[in-house]
Amino acid sequence: MEFKDLSVKELAQGIKTQKFTSESVVKYFIEQSEKKKDLNAIIEIFDDVLEKARAVDEKIKKGIPVGKLAGIPVAIKDNINYLGKKMSCASKFLKDYISPYSATVVKKLEAEDAVIFGRTNMDEFTMGGSCENSCYGPCKNAFDSTRISGGTSGGSAVAVAAGMCPVAIGTDTGGSIRQPASFNGVVGIKPTYGTVSRFGINAFASSTDQASPIAKNVDDCEFVFEILAGKDKNDATTINNPFASLPVKQSYRIGICKEIKAEIEKLETYPKFKQAVEKLKELGCEFIEVEVPHILNTLACYYILTPAEATSNFARFDGVKYTTRSSDAKTLEEVYVKSRSEGFGKEVQRRIMLGNFVLSSGYFDAYYNKAKKLQTLLRKEFAKAFTNCDVIMMPTTPGEAFKIGEKIHDPVAMYLEDLFTVPASIAGVPAISVPYAKGKAGLPLGMQFIGAEKTEKYLFDLARKFESALKENCDE
Amino acid sequence: MNKYDVVIGLEIHAELKTKTKVFCSCKNEFGAKPNENTCPVCTGMPGALPILNRKAVELCIKAGHCFGCNIANYAVMERKNYFYPDLSKAYQISQLVHPLCVGGGITLSSGKFIRLNRIHLEEDAGKLTHISKSVGTLVDYNRGGTPLIEIVTEPDFSSAEEVDEFLKKVREALVFADIANCKMEEGGMRCDVNLSLKPRGSTVFGTRTEMKNLNSFKSVFRAIEFEIDRQADVLDAGEKVIQETRKWDDVKGKNMAMRSKEEAQDYRYFPDPDILPIKISDEEIQKIKEDMPRLPEQRRKEYVEKFGLPEYNAQILTSSKYVSDYFEECVRLYNLPQKISNWIMVDLLKLVKEQEEFVFPISEQHLVEIIKMVEDKLINKTVGLQLIDKVIETNQSPKALADKMGLLVTISDQQIIDLLKKLKAENAKVCADFKQDPQKVMGFIVGFVMKNTGGKANSDLVRKLIPEIFND
C-alpha cells in the first residue's frame, strides 16, 4: 500500500501513532508530484514543507497534543493567501505578489497542524471552466493528458486524483470545485453560501464564492470540510451552520427537476444516469419529480451577476500597488490601461467588460437588478422544491472532460458547460459531486446532489452510501 | 446683482471620531507615519473583506438626530466604483439608495429652514503626495478607510452668509455631540459648494457649478461671493454657464475650471455583497437618541430664558459639552446660575486657557462650596480665588482648607470700625482729602483696611462703613 492509496483519516492516524512520519509522507507526495509534473497541476511546492513536516513529527515524539490533520500535506488553490508565499491567481498580473497575511481557511488548517503543501493551478483569476486560461499553461486531466482538467479548481482536483496530494482546497463560484472533481473522478462539495470563510481568498463573485476540500472519497471530504467550516469574524457573510446536527435519515426522497429532465435525457451519458437511479432505488431512495421553474435561466443570471461583482472586485488590480506595472506607462491613465491590458488574460478582460456593461447606467435595471430578482426567485423555488424532496439530483457535467482546445475559442459553448452547477451557486445551497461512472471515452463522470441550506450532513450521507454501492461501477 | 436669485446646495464631509476605521480595526488617527495604520483590508489586498464598525453607524445616526433626520430601519452600503491611486480597492464603500438618515434640516437665525437631503456613511480615501517629476507621487493609506459622514443639503441657500451660519451650526452640533472634530484646516470637515443663478423670481434653476478645495469657513464665504459674481458676469454677457467643477485658489482669490471630463462619471453603484444590509430597530434608534446630549442651541435657549443669562454668557458656556455640563451640575448643586457663570467664565476658563481638550482642575462640588462661602460672606472673593488654587494643589475640600489656613476668621464690623478710626486719627491728610473728594481716597482707605486684616475684610462692607466713620 502506498501513501496515495490511504485516506486522509488513515494517514492522520498513521502519523499520530508514529506508524510513519509526516516527513516520509510529505517526501512521498513530493516525489509523486515530480512524477506527474506533466499534468501541470501544482504550480509550486512550498520550500518549507519538509521543515514543517519535521516540526509536526517532533511535537508528536514529545507527546505534545496535535491537531486532526497533523502532518498531512494539503494543497491550496493559487487564489488563497498564505503568509509569505506567492499567490498569483494563475495570472502574470500578480506574478510578484507575496501574501501579507493568511486566509482563514489556511489558518484553520494550520491550527490542525496540516502541512500546507503547495499552490495548485487554476483558470486565471478563477474565470473559466477548463483550466486552459492559466498563465502557467493548461492543467491536464489525471486520466487523459490530452483532455482538460476542468476548472477553475483544475489543479486541486488533478493533484488529488493523480495521487500528488491526499487532499486539496479549491474554490467554487459556479461549479469550480464540482466540475473538475467530476472530470477527475474525485469528490468535491460546494457548501451553503457563508459556511466557509472567504477572508483571504481572492474574491471573484462575492455573493457565491465558497472554498472547500477536494478529496478521493466522501469521508475525507467531510472530514476536512468540518475543519474549514465555521463563522468567522473577518467575514461578515459567514453563517452559523450547524450542519452536523440534523436528525439521521434512513433513506432519501430524491427530486429530479422537471425542467432539467429534458436536458439530462439528451445527454450521451443518460444510460449511465439511469443506472445510477436504479442503484439509488436499491438503496431505498424514492424518486420524485420536482419543479424549479426558472432553473434554466440561472446560467444567464450567473453570467450577469458574477461578472458584475468580479469587475468591481478586480478593479484593485490596477498596476499601482502590487500588480505588475506596464514598463512603458507614462501617465496615470497609461498605468491603468496598459498594465491591465497586458496583465489580464482574454477571458478575464471579456468578463470585466461584461460586468461593467451590466452595471452601467441605463443598463443596470435591465440586467443586474433583474438578475438579482431572479436570484431571489430561484432561492424561493429551490426552498419550495425541498419541501417535496430531501435532495435534488442531476449530473455534475453534461459529459466527460473534453479535449484541450476544443471549446476555448467559443466562450458561450464553454459557459454552457456550467448549466448543471450554477443553479446551486446562485441559490446559495450546498451541492456535492461524487464520481459514479465512466463515459464513452473511459473518463470519470460525477453525480451531483443538491440540498436545502445547511443540509451538508445529508449530502455527505447519501453520497457515502452511493459511493460504496457504486464501487464496482467506477472500476469498470 | 438683484437681477438674479442665488441657489446654493452643499455637500459636507465630516471625519467621525471613532477609535478605528470604518471597515477594519486599524487606528483612526491623524499624523501617524505614512502607511503605519494599514492592513490588508484598507490597502485593498486580494481576499480582504470589510467588517462594518458599529460605532461609525451609531455616530452617523447621532448626526441624524442632531438635525431631525428620519433614521432608516434598513440601510445598505454600496460600492462606488472609480479609479484613482488614493482609493485602494478602486471602489469607495458609500451609500446611495438606502442611506442611514434622510431629511431633517437646520433653522437659521433669520427663521429660514435649510433642508437636508440625507446624511450617509462612507469611507475616506488615502492621501496622495506629489513629490517631483522624477520621484513621482506617493500614496499614504492611513486615511484610507476612515469613516466619514456626508451631509447633503437641498439647494435652499441664497447667500454666503446663510452658508456660513449653517456650517457653523453644523460644526457646533457635531463637536458638541462628540461625533466629529470638524477642523476644516485638517480636513476634519470639508465642504463642496454647488451654485447656480436664475433670473429673479424664475422657477427654473440655472446651470450649476461645483466648487472644491475650500479649506476654511472664510474660503467658503469668499468662494461663494466670487462665483456669484463670475456667473452673473457670464449671464450678463449673454453667455451660458458651463456645468463643471471649479477649484478654488484661496491665495489668488479666484476659482478655475478643473480639467473637464467629457461626460459625468458612471460609478456603477451596486450594493456591496460583503456587507450585510444594516437593520436598525426603532428601539435602537430611540436608545441612541436618548444617549444624545442636549444640543448647544437648546441649552443656550434655556440659559437665557430660565436662568436669565445674557446671550454672551450662554454662548461661552456652551462652547463645549464639558463646560456646559459642568455649569449645569454646579447650578444643580447651588442654584445661583448668574454668579456661577461668572466664576466659570472669568476664573476657571483662564486656568485652562491654552488647552484644547481640558478638564477643570477643580470639581463642581468644590467650586460650589467656595462660591457659597463667598455668598455667605464667610470669605471674600479674593480669598475665594486663593482657595481655588489651594484646592487644586492639595485636592482637599475648601471648608477643611479654610479652617486649616485660618481663612475663615471673620473680620467683624467692629474691627473694621476700629481700624478706620485708627486711620482717621493718624492720618489727617486722608481726612482732608476725603472731605474734598471721597472717591479719590476710597481706594487708599480700603487698601489700608485690607492690609491690616490680611486681606480678609469684606471690601463691600468696608466701603459701606468708611463714610460712616469719615463723614462725621
Side-chain angles (χ1 to χ4, degrees):
Chain A
M1 263 246 158
E2 290 189 40
F3 286 142
K4 70 173 161 75
D5 302 314
L6 296 180
S7 72
V8 169
K9 277 185 171 165
E10 286 166 337
L11 284 170
Q13 183 66 7
I15 293 171
K16 207 182 240 172
T17 55
Q18 297 187 73
K19 217 166 123 195
F20 40 79
T21 61
S22 165
E23 185 177 4
S24 65
V25 170
V26 173
K27 259 207 185 112
Y28 170 81
F29 283 108
I30 293 175
E31 283 160 15
Q32 289 298 111
S33 301
E34 186 60 28
K35 277 194 197 144
K36 302 277 184 162
K37 219 166 53 169
D38 291 339
L39 294 177
N40 207 15
I42 297 185
I43 300 165
E44 175 192 1
I45 297 176
F46 298 130
D47 55 13
D48 57 356
V49 288
L50 286 172
E51 182 192 314
K52 292 237 146 91
R54 282 192 283 265
V56 174
D57 289 328
E58 269 305 299
K59 266 171 108 169
I60 293 170
K61 241 195 253 166
K62 290 193 176 136
I64 300 171
V66 288
K68 300 188 188 121
L69 287 174
I72 304 289
V74 181
I76 55 174
K77 191 171 171 181
D78 190 29
N79 63 346
I80 300 177
N81 276 283
Y82 178 27
L83 174 64
K85 303 284 187 270
K86 284 191 164 175
M87 181 196 87
S88 70
C89 299
S91 177
K92 57 181 155 85
F93 208 11
L94 274 180
K95 68 172 169 32
D96 301 313
Y97 175 79
I98 294 178
S99 297
Y101 70 114
S102 281
T104 299
V105 293
V106 168
K107 290 214 184 101
K108 286 187 166 214
L109 291 169
E110 289 184 311
E112 297 294 343
D113 293 305
V115 174
I116 312 293
F117 189 61
R119 51 194 178 108
T120 59
N121 204 354
M122 51 185 273
D123 281 291
E124 184 185 357
F125 282 115
T126 49
M127 289 175 162
S130 62
C131 235
E132 293 170 284
N133 293 316
S134 164
C135 72
Y136 303 108
C139 178
K140 295 160 191 177
N141 191 292
F143 289 77
D144 177 347
S145 59
T146 66
R147 293 179 184 259
I148 56 149
S149 60
T152 58
S153 308
S156 289
V158 170
V160 171
M164 298 161 77
C165 198
V167 64
I169 311 300
T171 63
D172 189 312
T173 302
S176 293
I177 282 177
R178 293 162 284 157
Q179 185 244 48
S182 170
F183 283 161
N184 289 280
V186 288
V187 178
I189 185 167
K190 181 205 79 72
T192 307
Y193 178 75
T195 300
V196 176
S197 171
R198 294 180 296 115
F199 183 71
I201 299 174
N202 185 56
F204 162 15
S206 314
S207 66
T208 66
D209 289 346
Q210 277 293 279
S212 222
I214 298 176
K216 286 199 299 290
N217 58 61
V218 175
D219 270 349
D220 282 352
C221 187
E222 187 177 21
F223 182 56
V224 180
F225 165 78
E226 288 181 353
I227 290 166
L228 298 185
K231 205 153 161 50
D232 181 15
K233 66 171 167 53
N234 287 316
D235 177 353
T237 60
T238 51
I239 56 169
N240 281 314
N241 183 349
F243 46 80
S245 67
L246 293 170
V248 170
K249 276 196 196 291
Q250 295 304 338
S251 68
Y252 293 88
R253 290 170 306 159
I254 301 180
I256 300 291
C257 174
K258 181 174 118 185
E259 294 79 8
I260 286 267
K261 215 168 95 150
E263 295 299 318
I264 299 174
E265 284 165 6
K266 277 193 234 159
L267 299 173
E268 203 178 61
T269 54
Y270 183 53
K272 298 278 183 177
F273 182 85
K274 277 201 290 195
Q275 281 179 333
V277 169
E278 291 313 308
K279 211 44 174 222
L280 285 160
K281 283 184 177 160
E282 280 170 33
L283 290 175
C285 294
E286 194 195 318
F287 278 83
I288 310 151
E289 191 175 88
V290 294
E291 284 182 6
V292 183
H294 284 89
I295 198 169
L296 289 175
N297 298 101
T298 40
L299 201 56
C301 176
Y302 178 82
Y303 279 103
I304 289 170
L305 285 185
T306 57
E309 292 180 3
T311 204
S312 177
N313 285 327
F314 289 8
R316 69 190 65 196
F317 304 125
D318 53 11
V320 171
K321 301 180 296 292
Y322 42 72
T323 41
T324 310
R325 188 179 295 187
S326 171
S327 52
D328 61 348
K330 292 190 194 64
T331 64
L332 180 63
E333 174 121 347
E334 284 183 357
V335 168
Y336 288 137
V337 177
K338 287 199 164 149
S339 306
R340 284 164 68 83
S341 302
E342 290 165 23
F344 283 133
K346 284 279 176 293
E347 182 60 26
V348 177
Q349 292 190 29
R350 189 174 291 128
R351 296 206 202 180
I352 288 176
M353 285 193 277
L354 184 54
N356 275 320
F357 176 74
V358 303
L359 285 178
S360 60
S361 87
Y363 295 102
F364 181 84
D365 280 319
Y367 291 103
Y368 184 81
N369 235 0
K370 197 139 200 187
K372 263 303 199 215
K373 288 184 179 152
L374 181 57
Q375 182 177 35
T376 306
L377 184 60
L378 209 83
R379 286 195 175 127
K380 290 199 180 115
E381 289 180 0
F382 263 109
K384 183 148 180 265
F386 285 124
T387 59
N388 297 318
C389 67
D390 302 313
V391 301
I392 291 175
M393 176 173 130
M394 64 183 76
T396 308
T397 51
E400 303 159 280
F402 43 87
K403 294 267 183 196
I404 293 175
E406 189 180 318
K407 295 192 200 249
I408 194 69
H409 299 294
D410 189 349
V412 178
M414 190 75 85
Y415 299 166
L416 287 171
E417 288 286 316
D418 296 335
L419 180 68
F420 298 125
T421 50
V422 299
S425 302
I426 291 291
V429 293
I432 193 170
S433 178
V434 183
Y436 80 100
K438 293 265 162 68
K440 279 232 172 85
L443 288 153
L445 296 169
M447 187 65 80
Q448 189 184 195
F449 297 114
I450 306 171
E453 282 191 355
K454 305 185 191 182
T455 59
E456 284 83 352
K457 172 174 167 154
Y458 293 149
L459 296 183
F460 283 123
D461 186 46
L462 176 58
R464 193 173 7 247
K465 291 186 162 101
F466 188 47
E467 180 183 58
S468 25
L470 285 173
K471 254 191 162 58
E472 313 92 67
N473 269 35
C474 278
D475 297 330
E476 272 164 30
Chain B
M1 240 325 286
N2 285 316
K3 282 169 67 180
Y4 303 112
D5 287 334
V6 177
V7 177
I8 303 171
L10 302 177
E11 276 164 34
I12 302 164
H13 288 89
E15 291 177 352
L16 294 180
K17 277 180 85 165
T18 56
K19 287 206 187 81
T20 57
K21 296 187 180 183
V22 65
F23 297 116
C24 63
S25 47
C26 290
K27 274 198 253 170
N28 176 11
E29 149 191 272
F30 184 78
K33 273 200 324 234
N35 292 308
E36 190 178 324
N37 294 330
T38 58
C39 74
V41 178
C42 54
T43 49
M45 293 288 148
L49 296 174
I51 300 292
L52 185 57
N53 180 334
R54 192 195 175 81
K55 187 75 196 252
V57 175
E58 281 178 15
L59 290 182
C60 181
I61 293 173
K62 271 195 171 164
H65 283 318
C66 284
F67 307 117
C69 304
N70 275 320
I71 313 297
N73 294 110
Y74 175 83
V76 174
M77 303 306 300
E78 303 215 29
R79 294 192 185 176
K80 179 179 181 182
N81 299 280
Y82 66 95
F83 287 93
Y84 204 58
D86 64 1
L87 197 62
S88 64
K89 301 185 296 303
Y91 59 85
Q92 177 196 27
I93 300 177
S94 177
Q95 299 195 282
L96 184 70
V97 179
H98 297 287
L100 278 165
C101 312
V102 177
I106 294 181
T107 309
L108 301 178
S109 57
S110 64
K112 181 173 178 181
F113 184 70
I114 304 289
R115 299 167 298 163
L116 292 189
N117 176 287
R118 54 165 49 210
I119 304 179
H120 72 236
L121 179 65
E122 62 184 30
E123 57 175 344
D124 205 350
K127 264 210 206 111
L128 295 181
T129 309
H130 307 287
I131 304 293
S132 67
K133 215 160 180 153
S134 47
V135 173
T137 305
L138 303 179
V139 193
D140 174 11
Y141 287 122
N142 281 347
R143 198 184 63 178
T146 57
L148 296 174
I149 45 170
E150 178 171 334
I151 302 171
V152 181
T153 75
E154 297 292 359
D156 288 350
F157 297 98
S158 356
S159 70
E161 286 83 7
E162 287 184 350
V163 168
D164 191 68
E165 187 188 339
F166 180 86
L167 289 176
K168 289 183 171 136
K169 281 186 190 285
V170 167
R171 180 174 64 179
E172 184 188 59
L174 294 181
V175 169
F176 209 85
D178 214 25
I179 294 168
N181 280 329
C182 291
K183 297 195 190 136
M184 266 190 104
E185 288 78 9
E186 280 178 15
M189 180 162 141
R190 304 161 216 166
C191 183
D192 294 340
V193 174
N194 295 308
L195 190 152
S196 67
L197 300 183
K198 59 182 170 72
R200 176 132 288 207
S202 165
T203 52
V204 179
F205 282 1
T207 306
R208 68 162 199 250
T209 59
E210 183 186 18
M211 272 194 292
K212 288 186 175 288
N213 198 39
L214 307 167
N215 294 327
S216 67
F217 287 178
K218 260 220 190 77
S219 304
V220 173
F221 194 95
R222 295 172 68 207
I224 290 174
E225 304 238 288
F226 175 87
E227 183 63 7
I228 292 172
D229 286 342
R230 189 193 72 85
Q231 286 196 17
D233 288 344
V234 167
L235 294 175
D236 284 345
E239 282 160 23
K240 287 204 163 80
V241 172
I242 303 168
Q243 181 175 335
E244 61 193 353
T245 303
R246 298 183 70 90
K247 188 169 175 186
W248 174 253
D249 185 325
D250 209 39
V251 172
K252 292 191 183 143
K254 58 186 221 175
N255 65 26
M256 281 148 294
M258 291 174 77
R259 204 164 14 127
S260 68
K261 307 146 206 163
E262 305 83 58
E263 290 153 23
Q265 266 260 35
D266 181 0
Y267 294 111
R268 292 154 289 138
Y269 279 93
F270 68 101
D272 193 316
D274 295 324
I275 303 172
L276 303 175
I278 304 167
K279 298 198 180 126
I280 319 158
S281 66
D282 288 337
E283 289 74 34
E284 284 173 294
I285 294 172
Q286 187 55 27
K287 183 166 184 307
I288 294 173
K289 193 168 191 186
E290 283 162 14
D291 284 346
M292 297 270 300
R294 281 152 42 250
L295 290 176
E297 206 148 319
Q298 188 195 345
R299 294 193 192 205
R300 280 196 289 271
K301 198 157 177 275
E302 286 169 19
Y303 295 176
V304 167
E305 288 171 12
K306 250 176 51 186
F307 298 155
L309 291 187
E311 289 259 6
Y312 177 74
N313 290 33
Q315 196 71 39
I316 305 257
L317 290 171
T318 52
S319 61
S320 80
K321 180 172 172 296
Y322 171 73
V323 171
S324 187
D325 283 346
Y326 187 97
F327 166 69
E328 290 178 7
E329 175 62 9
C330 288
V331 172
R332 194 185 67 77
L333 292 169
Y334 185 43
N335 192 11
L336 226 57
Q338 301 198 14
K339 286 272 157 82
I340 290 173
S341 89
N342 284 331
W343 278 83
I344 293 176
M345 284 166 58
V346 177
D347 304 305
L348 284 200
L349 279 175
K350 75 157 178 265
L351 295 175
V352 293
K353 210 166 41 172
E354 297 309 322
Q355 301 168 44
E356 257 197 36
E357 299 216 15
F358 59 82
V359 167
F360 289 135
I362 178 169
S363 72
E364 294 92 326
Q365 289 89 322
H366 286 175
L367 178 70
V368 156
E369 242 179 75
I370 294 174
I371 298 174
K372 232 184 179 166
M373 287 200 278
V374 171
E375 291 304 307
D376 292 345
K377 302 217 190 312
L378 293 175
I379 55 175
N380 66 20
K381 177 95 190 251
T382 315
V383 173
L385 292 174
Q386 287 172 17
L387 256 186
I388 288 183
D389 290 336
K390 263 295 184 250
V391 167
I392 291 172
E393 202 186 295
T394 64
N395 200 25
Q396 294 177 44
S397 88
K399 278 226 170 69
L401 279 172
D403 272 334
K404 220 194 293 177
M405 291 163 62
L407 296 171
L408 282 179
V409 176
T410 42
I411 306 296
S412 67
D413 290 17
Q414 191 56 50
Q415 281 171 284
I416 296 174
I417 291 171
D418 288 345
L419 274 172
L420 289 173
K421 284 188 170 158
K422 184 167 183 264
L423 178 63
K424 192 177 163 189
E426 290 173 6
N427 195 327
K429 181 173 191 297
V430 169
C431 298
D433 286 343
F434 186 86
K435 286 214 172 73
Q436 273 214 341
D437 185 353
Q439 287 313 311
K440 229 169 114 183
V441 290
M442 190 65 83
F444 176 81
I445 301 172
V446 171
F448 174 82
V449 173
M450 297 308 266
K451 197 165 111 186
N452 285 280
T453 57
K456 289 182 197 152
N458 186 308
S459 61
D460 292 334
L461 181 59
V462 172
R463 281 176 195 268
K464 198 178 96 181
L465 292 171
I466 287 174
E468 290 177 23
I469 305 299
F470 280 80
N471 262 339
D472 58 42

